[in-house]
Amino acid sequence: LGQESWGGKGAPRPPVPRPPRPMTATPRPGGAAGEIGQTTRFSITGCKHDVVGPIVRGDYVMNGSNHGKPAYKKTTTAANGLSVLIYFWDERDGPANSGWWIAPQIGGNMVWGHHANRTSATPPTSGWQAPHSGPPDPTMQLIVQGAPAGRPGGMGMGAGCGMGMGAGGGKGAMGGHMGAGGGTPTPPPRPVAPQASMQQQRMQAQKQQMEARIAEQKRQQEEYQQKKAAEMRKQQEEQKAQMNIRKVIQKLRSVTPETFDALKEEMAQTLAKEFDKCGTQKAKLQEESDQALEVASKKVEEAKEKRAKAEEARKEADRKRQEAIEKAASLLTELISSTDAAEEAVKELTTAITEVAEKSGLDTEDKVKKAAAPVEKLSADASEKVSACSEFLKVHTGELRALPVAPAAPKPPA
């Protein structure tokens, strides 16, 4: 037994504490530099770990003592109703196991934080490891809230133990038992039994030995069955706890930016509830859960970055499309103007040809050439303008396609 790391493997394991000795834990007046000092209330802030942070942050009050120094308890419980305690463990199990600890119970199997300072009379205000297998977290601070207090009540447990033993002494009970048998007379010694009586006694003894062996075998079998059933129940509980944790890990594999915060909170609550039941799989599940949170966090950041890039690309495409539409509209206006000019030139040419054809007195070649000169000029002008329209379309047809297509007009009813 002993303390096991919540936050990783290879951590110090203080064993389950021995029965408490009568002692008085008095905080050093005023507190040394870097300690909370003589106060009954303080708060923990900071702690950047995604899972441990929500558990240890909050308000604490003095709550008894352990190994000669005051202990403290969080005013609110963690997930699943677990208490959060801060207590001191001395060097009786070695320096590596001593210092200040944050855990759900004194000497329990689950540990959230540790500070290796063995000389401070009260908890240090900074330099805490949370989880305790990691490096010190500079963001985690103990902030004093309350006023100095007197001595905590550390004598109650020791006094209570001593009173209980005194009141329940066994001497009176033994005396009553002896008194109950005091009036029975001692039987006279029996004469030596004959051979038949000795054989009967041996048979009786053998029978009693056989019955004793059978009873012992039955007891051992029952004990084995009970032990086996208990082991099976424990194994089932471990498997159920492991499955519950792995269900959340599986959810984290399909995380989105919208679900990340809720899944992170679900992981913290599930670990607080199930981690202590996972048996030999604790270290592996701790590694899997930490890795799942890390991968999920990266996946969410990548998704956000991808969405931002997609949005930027969409805006850029919209901008270019709008520019193309505006340019196409300008080209269309220019084309319409050129087309109108070409149509006007063709109309003037047609009118001139008609007038020449209807004109009389063109009986000589010179008169015909003179009358045809304006027509030829108008023809060249019209031809030039029509060619300009054709060349314009050849050059700008692709750009004109950027114009939105107008919806087709509805067909009139038949």
Side-chain angles (χ1 to χ4, degrees), residues 2-8 11-13 108-111 132 275 279 282:
Q3 302 191 46
E4 293 185 30
S5 165
W6 182 93
R13 299 184 173 187
N109 294 329
M110 190 175 184
V111 174
H132 88 279
F275 184 77
K282 284 183 178 179

Side-chain angles (χ1 to χ4, degrees), residues 181 183-191:
T184 304
T186 303
R190 297 182 179 181

Side-chain angles (χ1 to χ4, degrees), residues 4 54 56 85 89 116 150 159 173 219 237 242 254 292 300 354 359 406 412:
E4 293 185 30
V56 302
L85 306 176
W89 195 272
R219 185 193 65 77
E237 289 179 357
Q242 295 166 18
S254 56
V300 167
T354 303
K359 192 172 185 179

